[in-house]
Each structure stands twice: as structure tokens, then as C-alpha cells.
Amino acid sequence: NIASLGGFVFCGKTGFGAGMAHSPQADGKERYIMWVAPHIAFGTDGPVGKIWRPGRETISSACGALIALNNEIDSAQMSVSLDPADTEMSLLRQQVLGKLTYGQQPNLIGITYAAHDCILDQVRTTAQLAAPKTSEYIIISGIQIHGALNKNFWWPGTITHYANGVETDLSLNYENVVSDYKLSNWLQAEALAYLQQTGSGGKSRLPGFFADVL
């Protein structure tokens, strides 16, 4: 795991190279799968960005760093200089602001999408610089979504295969695999299982977006 604050990757080609130098080889070739995934909380009681975590008595946040940046943008108070005492947050701030247009004031969802695009650019560029020419790798990008009942979801961004200097978009392959998947069916099954587990006989209040499926 080479992720920094907010899921960003600031280790550069030296960090990438160090990790790749420790990777196993098969048939004289190194193969990697790289995940790009900022995260956000959605579907629990409260606003977007709030999540109940096991073992904590109060509601917490995801992603805390992006929420902090969102608050800075809303208040129009921020410093874009590099703070040696808070290096990763400084770099995160610079990266995300570079994706926004002048005068744009996004919400947390928009900032999370911008973070996804920033991290994907980082990983693509750095992997091309650091990966051995004979290596083969896939970059999978998306956004991890923390939902109710400790369930996690995935917003799919891109799936790209790199080998022999050729990039191949695998998004259509993914879409074909999940084409028969119905989120509504899964939500209903999970909600029913939750009610049965709690022994509420259907009278319990379901958390978050599960409340709307029964």
C-alpha cells in the first residue's frame, strides 16, 4: 500500500521502483494490479461524508482530508504553499485545486471525483516512468463508498491494461460481466437479512438508504 493522505500517491518513481523491485517474477516478467480509490461516505444518517464506524461512539467522516479541503474552499480561507509540517495535505490541496476551474466551488462529491482524476493521473504517469519495459500491469480506478450496515460499494472509473507499450481499455469487459447485476435486489436482500438478524420482525428502523427498499 503506497497510498498517502486522501488516497493520493506521492512516493514518486523512486517509491514505485522500490516496490516493483521486490515483486515476484513469472516467466521472466513482472505483473501488477494497481488500485486507485479515494473514498467517501454515503447512505448513513446525516450528510454525505458521515459514517458510523464499528467501535466508535460518535459519527466520523470519510474522506476527512477531502472534507477539510471542502471546508477551506467554502470559507475561502486556505494556503496553497507547501507546509513542511503538513506535507501530504499541502500536496493534496495543490493537486485538487489544479483540477478545478477558476471560481468553481464544488461540493464534497465533486471534490472526490476531482481527487479520483488526480490520483489516476499520478499512477498512470508514475507507472510509465517506473515500470520495467517488460512488465505488464492493470490500473483499476474508482471510488470506494462506505454505506450503511458496514457495507462498502465501488463506483467504477476505469480499467486499463498496459503491456508492450499498448494500452487496452477493459471497461466494456467489466460492463458485460456485471450487466445482469441488480443493486436493488441486493439492497432488498441485505435489508431483510438485517431485520432477521436483529429479530425486529420488520419493525426496526433500517439505517440509511436501506430504509427505502422495504
Side-chain angles (χ1 to χ4, degrees), residues 10-27:
F10 296 126
C11 64
K13 65 178 183 180
T14 300
F16 261 65
M20 290 174 171
H22 300 160
S23 301
Q25 295 177 329
D27 301 324

mmCIF file of all heavy atoms in Angstrom, residues 10-27:
data_model
loop_
_atom_site.group_PDB
_atom_site.id
_atom_site.type_symbol
_atom_site.label_atom_id
_atom_site.label_comp_id
_atom_site.label_asym_id
_atom_site.label_seq_id
_atom_site.Cartn_x
_atom_site.Cartn_y
_atom_site.Cartn_z
ATOM 1 N N PHE A 10 2.223 9.959 -3.457
ATOM 2 C CA PHE A 10 3.287 10.962 -3.506
ATOM 3 C C PHE A 10 4.684 10.354 -3.415
ATOM 4 O O PHE A 10 5.664 11.066 -3.252
ATOM 5 C CB PHE A 10 3.106 11.970 -2.365
ATOM 6 C CG PHE A 10 1.834 12.778 -2.455
ATOM 7 C CD1 PHE A 10 0.953 12.826 -1.384
ATOM 8 C CD2 PHE A 10 1.519 13.475 -3.606
ATOM 9 C CE1 PHE A 10 -0.216 13.571 -1.463
ATOM 10 C CE2 PHE A 10 0.352 14.225 -3.696
ATOM 11 C CZ PHE A 10 -0.522 14.266 -2.625
ATOM 12 N N CYS A 11 4.785 9.028 -3.531
ATOM 13 C CA CYS A 11 6.096 8.391 -3.393
ATOM 14 C C CYS A 11 6.953 8.545 -4.648
ATOM 15 O O CYS A 11 8.159 8.333 -4.602
ATOM 16 C CB CYS A 11 5.934 6.919 -3.043
ATOM 17 S SG CYS A 11 5.136 5.937 -4.329
ATOM 18 N N GLY A 12 6.329 8.895 -5.779
ATOM 19 C CA GLY A 12 7.086 9.137 -6.995
ATOM 20 C C GLY A 12 7.671 7.881 -7.611
ATOM 21 O O GLY A 12 7.440 6.762 -7.156
ATOM 22 N N LYS A 13 8.475 8.084 -8.663
ATOM 23 C CA LYS A 13 9.011 6.933 -9.387
ATOM 24 C C LYS A 13 10.010 6.144 -8.546
ATOM 25 O O LYS A 13 10.165 4.937 -8.738
ATOM 26 C CB LYS A 13 9.650 7.381 -10.697
ATOM 27 C CG LYS A 13 10.873 8.259 -10.569
ATOM 28 C CD LYS A 13 11.438 8.601 -11.950
ATOM 29 C CE LYS A 13 12.723 9.419 -11.837
ATOM 30 N NZ LYS A 13 13.281 9.753 -13.173
ATOM 31 N N THR A 14 10.676 6.820 -7.587
ATOM 32 C CA THR A 14 11.595 6.084 -6.712
ATOM 33 C C THR A 14 10.833 5.117 -5.829
ATOM 34 O O THR A 14 11.222 3.950 -5.666
ATOM 35 C CB THR A 14 12.410 7.054 -5.849
ATOM 36 O OG1 THR A 14 13.164 7.929 -6.696
ATOM 37 C CG2 THR A 14 13.360 6.297 -4.927
ATOM 38 N N GLY A 15 9.711 5.571 -5.263
ATOM 39 C CA GLY A 15 8.884 4.695 -4.441
ATOM 40 C C GLY A 15 8.277 3.565 -5.247
ATOM 41 O O GLY A 15 8.264 2.405 -4.808
ATOM 42 N N PHE A 16 7.764 3.889 -6.420
ATOM 43 C CA PHE A 16 7.233 2.858 -7.305
ATOM 44 C C PHE A 16 8.316 1.833 -7.635
ATOM 45 O O PHE A 16 8.095 0.615 -7.573
ATOM 46 C CB PHE A 16 6.729 3.492 -8.604
ATOM 47 C CG PHE A 16 5.244 3.719 -8.651
ATOM 48 C CD1 PHE A 16 4.645 4.622 -7.788
ATOM 49 C CD2 PHE A 16 4.456 3.047 -9.561
ATOM 50 C CE1 PHE A 16 3.287 4.856 -7.845
ATOM 51 C CE2 PHE A 16 3.087 3.271 -9.631
ATOM 52 C CZ PHE A 16 2.502 4.175 -8.762
ATOM 53 N N GLY A 17 9.494 2.335 -8.009
ATOM 54 C CA GLY A 17 10.588 1.443 -8.392
ATOM 55 C C GLY A 17 11.005 0.524 -7.267
ATOM 56 O O GLY A 17 11.307 -0.658 -7.493
ATOM 57 N N ALA A 18 11.015 1.054 -6.033
ATOM 58 C CA ALA A 18 11.391 0.232 -4.885
ATOM 59 C C ALA A 18 10.402 -0.914 -4.683
ATOM 60 O O ALA A 18 10.790 -2.066 -4.439
ATOM 61 C CB ALA A 18 11.466 1.097 -3.630
ATOM 62 N N GLY A 19 9.118 -0.595 -4.793
ATOM 63 C CA GLY A 19 8.106 -1.642 -4.630
ATOM 64 C C GLY A 19 8.180 -2.676 -5.735
ATOM 65 O O GLY A 19 8.075 -3.885 -5.492
ATOM 66 N N MET A 20 8.367 -2.206 -6.955
ATOM 67 C CA MET A 20 8.423 -3.130 -8.088
ATOM 68 C C MET A 20 9.654 -4.021 -8.043
ATOM 69 O O MET A 20 9.631 -5.168 -8.498
ATOM 70 C CB MET A 20 8.395 -2.336 -9.391
ATOM 71 C CG MET A 20 7.054 -1.679 -9.661
ATOM 72 S SD MET A 20 7.069 -0.593 -11.102
ATOM 73 C CE MET A 20 5.309 -0.243 -11.265
ATOM 74 N N ALA A 21 10.744 -3.522 -7.474
ATOM 75 C CA ALA A 21 11.968 -4.314 -7.368
ATOM 76 C C ALA A 21 11.807 -5.489 -6.409
ATOM 77 O O ALA A 21 12.617 -6.421 -6.413
ATOM 78 C CB ALA A 21 13.121 -3.425 -6.909
ATOM 79 N N HIS A 22 10.775 -5.454 -5.586
ATOM 80 C CA HIS A 22 10.529 -6.537 -4.639
ATOM 81 C C HIS A 22 9.440 -7.481 -5.121
ATOM 82 O O HIS A 22 9.072 -8.419 -4.415
ATOM 83 C CB HIS A 22 10.112 -5.961 -3.278
ATOM 84 C CG HIS A 22 11.150 -5.068 -2.664
ATOM 85 N ND1 HIS A 22 10.846 -4.147 -1.676
ATOM 86 C CD2 HIS A 22 12.480 -4.930 -2.910
ATOM 87 C CE1 HIS A 22 11.949 -3.495 -1.338
ATOM 88 N NE2 HIS A 22 12.952 -3.959 -2.071
ATOM 89 N N SER A 23 8.898 -7.222 -6.307
ATOM 90 C CA SER A 23 7.791 -8.027 -6.815
ATOM 91 C C SER A 23 8.286 -9.364 -7.378
ATOM 92 O O SER A 23 9.384 -9.443 -7.919
ATOM 93 C CB SER A 23 7.053 -7.264 -7.915
ATOM 94 O OG SER A 23 6.561 -6.034 -7.425
ATOM 95 N N PRO A 24 7.456 -10.403 -7.264
ATOM 96 C CA PRO A 24 7.848 -11.703 -7.838
ATOM 97 C C PRO A 24 7.818 -11.654 -9.363
ATOM 98 O O PRO A 24 7.113 -10.836 -9.961
ATOM 99 C CB PRO A 24 6.785 -12.658 -7.298
ATOM 100 C CG PRO A 24 5.605 -11.786 -7.016
ATOM 101 C CD PRO A 24 6.156 -10.464 -6.582
ATOM 102 N N GLN A 25 8.570 -12.535 -9.970
ATOM 103 C CA GLN A 25 8.611 -12.650 -11.419
ATOM 104 C C GLN A 25 8.088 -14.010 -11.844
ATOM 105 O O GLN A 25 8.318 -15.011 -11.176
ATOM 106 C CB GLN A 25 10.030 -12.461 -11.941
ATOM 107 C CG GLN A 25 10.597 -11.065 -11.704
ATOM 108 C CD GLN A 25 12.033 -10.942 -12.184
ATOM 109 O OE1 GLN A 25 12.787 -11.906 -12.156
ATOM 110 N NE2 GLN A 25 12.408 -9.747 -12.621
ATOM 111 N N ALA A 26 7.360 -14.028 -12.942
ATOM 112 C CA ALA A 26 6.870 -15.286 -13.519
ATOM 113 C C ALA A 26 7.165 -15.250 -15.009
ATOM 114 O O ALA A 26 6.801 -14.288 -15.697
ATOM 115 C CB ALA A 26 5.369 -15.444 -13.279
ATOM 116 N N ASP A 27 7.858 -16.263 -15.488
ATOM 117 C CA ASP A 27 8.260 -16.329 -16.903
ATOM 118 C C ASP A 27 9.089 -15.104 -17.290
ATOM 119 O O ASP A 27 8.982 -14.585 -18.413
ATOM 120 C CB ASP A 27 7.032 -16.434 -17.817
ATOM 121 C CG ASP A 27 6.182 -17.669 -17.498
ATOM 122 O OD1 ASP A 27 6.778 -18.715 -17.160
ATOM 123 O OD2 ASP A 27 4.950 -17.576 -17.582
#
